[in-house]
Amino acid sequence: MPTTLAYPPPPLSPSAVKNTASFIRIVTLSAIAGAAIASRLFAVINFESIIHEFDPWFNYRATRVLAAKGFYEFWNWFDPTAWYPLGRVVGGTIFPGLMVTSGVIYNALRAIHLPVDIRNVCVMLAPAFSGLTAFATYLFTREMKDESAGLLSAILIGIAPGYISRSVAGSYDNEAIAIFLLMFTFFLWIKALKQGSAFFGTLAALFYFYMVAAWGGYVFITNMIPLHALVLVLMGRFSSRLYVAYSSWYALGTLASMQVPFVGFQPVKTSEHMAALGVFGLLQLVAFTELVRSHVSSKQFQTLLRMAAGTIGVLGFVAVVVLTMKGWIAPWTGRFYSLWDTGYAKKHIPIIASVSEHQPTAWPAFFADLHILIFIFPVGVLLCFQTLRDEHVFVIIYAIMASYFAGVMVRLMLTLTPLVCVAAAIALSTLLDTYIDPVEPESTENAQPAAPATGPAPTEPTTPAAGATNNIGSTRRGRSTGLFGIDTRLAVVFNTFFLLLFFVIHCTWTTSHAYSSPSVVLASRGPDGSSSVIDDFREAYYWLRQNTPKDAVVMS
């Protein structure tokens, strides 16, 4: 029987459809990158090209030293003006990835005879990397579902306020490049796991090293990937693919991360990194167990397994306890304790609790930063439960952990936003795939009528309800699922795009009004709606620069 269509598809051959789809994806990704960059330029348009906040100013000063004097001078730079009167050894007390990235871009532009000022490179670094983040999110979501979901996730992360809040033009902080590295490292991990590829595992280790050099939040990756591997082992999904991917990532990534002076031997001496080491050891034991299983009988294997598991478990626990008591393994830091015990910082480390970024997240903040996505992303997580491949387990774990941490600390909304965009894109893509599909199910009217009965009538009476139930059941078993007509399709698709349009309007308004004002320049509006700019901070700094010696110390 011919297939019934709700509307005629375009008369194109499969090869033409494939080529057209590839071209549209490239154009769409380019447009998404452009929109992501443009949406972060409100600060430059409304004010000027300046560095925001306070930490970014130190990062800018360090980058100027790198650009003017070279890498080694920057690495060995002693800044007497920071942490006065002690001073600061910059190379050993910072994550240098941000400054090195800006320095490389600055020198590359000068090499092709584009004399851009280092300040403009620093101001535009975060918007530029937001385009790369959109591409990385596209790649990650494509591994979860398909290209259409990937494009939707790229659109969402490109303009989501939860990410824009730390990546507007002039926000020259570590998070400017860290979210791109986070998503690209996760993409490479999923790719390595799906293919069992040491090559992709090595690439994941290299980008993990870049992440370690860029942001202290690398610990999130350090614990997310081991947690994913552990859950797969507990689910009985250990495979050679998991072993190869994790071993290559952990061995090379740990050695590389120890090359950052500020990190040093922390990967093998602090509690935050012990989970990764423990899972690495567990995978070696499981792999060895599988090898032994293939060489001995089942009864002997069970005996050896019990003895080995008990012995190794006791020895490992005793070793961790002894090393911790001896001081070889450092305990959790106060900042990490405050994630699990929300009252810990207030009692023991008030300076951490006093930082506004470390406060619990208010419910309105979730809606302000994520808008309708906060309601859609649970559907995407639920859809991952339906298929539950190895990569979907990662999304589920990421959703649980990031949701908890984002509720405990405002700053960690930054790590939740990419996952929300991915899960929401999976849900929206599934919805649109269902309602845009033109194929209609087989109509019940086309079903073959039952043959008339030739024998005598049945002696047992049949109730109408029972007969109707049987007919519905048989009909449902005999036809495929789907939608009839085009009116329902148009209604759902129109409402979906209407909601997404409201999301775009909300993101634009929030970005332009809430997240694009430098802390050193204040803007206000009068009763008549007129705007005024208060530039007292920079005027005071300029007065100090002109009227005090260069090495003067100002007590405030």
Side-chain angles (χ1 to χ4, degrees), residues 217-264:
Y218 76 89
V219 178
F220 185 68
I221 297 178
T222 308
N223 288 277
M224 270 297 303
I225 292 179
L227 183 59
H228 183 210
L230 177 63
V231 171
L232 291 179
V233 171
L234 295 178
M235 292 175 66
R237 295 191 176 189
F238 174 82
S239 63
S240 59
R241 294 181 292 104
L242 175 61
Y243 179 79
V244 171
Y246 188 87
S247 297
S248 57
W249 168 77
Y250 178 77
L252 296 175
T254 301
L255 290 174
S257 65
M258 294 168 65
Q259 309 310 308
V260 180
F262 191 48
V263 176

Side-chain angles (χ1 to χ4, degrees), residues 540-556:
Y541 297 149
Y542 182 78
W543 187 92
L544 289 172
R545 180 189 302 171
Q546 298 297 321
N547 295 275
T548 58
K550 191 174 182 179
D551 57 350
V553 178
V554 180
M555 185 174 67
S556 60

Side-chain angles (χ1 to χ4, degrees), residues 114 148 155 175 205 383 391:
L114 292 177
S148 60
I155 294 171
E175 294 90 340
L383 291 173
E391 59 268 27

Side-chain angles (χ1 to χ4, degrees), residues 12 46 60 85 103 282 318 348 358 434 484 523:
L12 297 174
N46 294 334
Y60 170 55
L282 175 65
V318 171
H348 303 283
H358 296 167
T434 303
F484 289 102

Side-chain angles (χ1 to χ4, degrees), residues 464-489:
T469 302
N470 291 335
N471 289 335
I472 291 173
S474 61
T475 301
R476 285 176 179 172
R477 287 192 297 269
R479 66 174 182 174
S480 60
T481 59
L483 298 167
F484 289 102
I486 197 171
D487 51 350
T488 305
R489 289 177 166 86

Side-chain angles (χ1 to χ4, degrees), residues 108-242:
L109 293 175
R110 290 178 63 86
I112 59 175
H113 304 290
L114 292 177
V116 180
D117 187 75
I118 187 63
R119 176 175 55 83
N120 291 323
V121 173
C122 297
V123 168
M124 299 301 298
L125 184 70
F129 265 81
S130 68
L132 296 177
T133 303
F135 180 66
T137 307
Y138 162 79
L139 295 175
F140 180 84
T141 312
R142 188 183 65 177
E143 297 298 320
M144 301 299 151
K145 187 178 179 293
D146 53 22
E147 287 84 358
S148 60
L151 289 175
L152 273 172
S153 66
I155 294 171
L156 298 177
I157 192 66
I159 60 174
Y163 175 42
I164 288 184
S165 63
R166 310 290 298 204
S167 59
V168 295
S171 182
Y172 187 57
D173 212 344
N174 295 326
E175 294 90 340
I177 64 175
I179 301 303
F180 160 69
L181 299 174
L182 179 82
M183 293 307 297
F184 201 71
T185 303
F186 283 157
F187 157 70
L188 292 172
W189 159 250
I190 295 299
K191 197 77 172 176
L193 176 63
K194 292 175 71 173
Q195 298 186 6
S197 170
F199 172 72
F200 280 105
T202 302
L203 289 180
L206 291 176
F207 275 88
Y208 171 71
F209 163 64
Y210 191 4
M211 177 71 171
V212 173
W215 190 36
Y218 76 89
V219 178
F220 185 68
I221 297 178
T222 308
N223 288 277
M224 270 297 303
I225 292 179
L227 183 59
H228 183 210
L230 177 63
V231 171
L232 291 179
V233 171
L234 295 178
M235 292 175 66
R237 295 191 176 189
F238 174 82
S239 63
S240 59
R241 294 181 292 104
L242 175 61

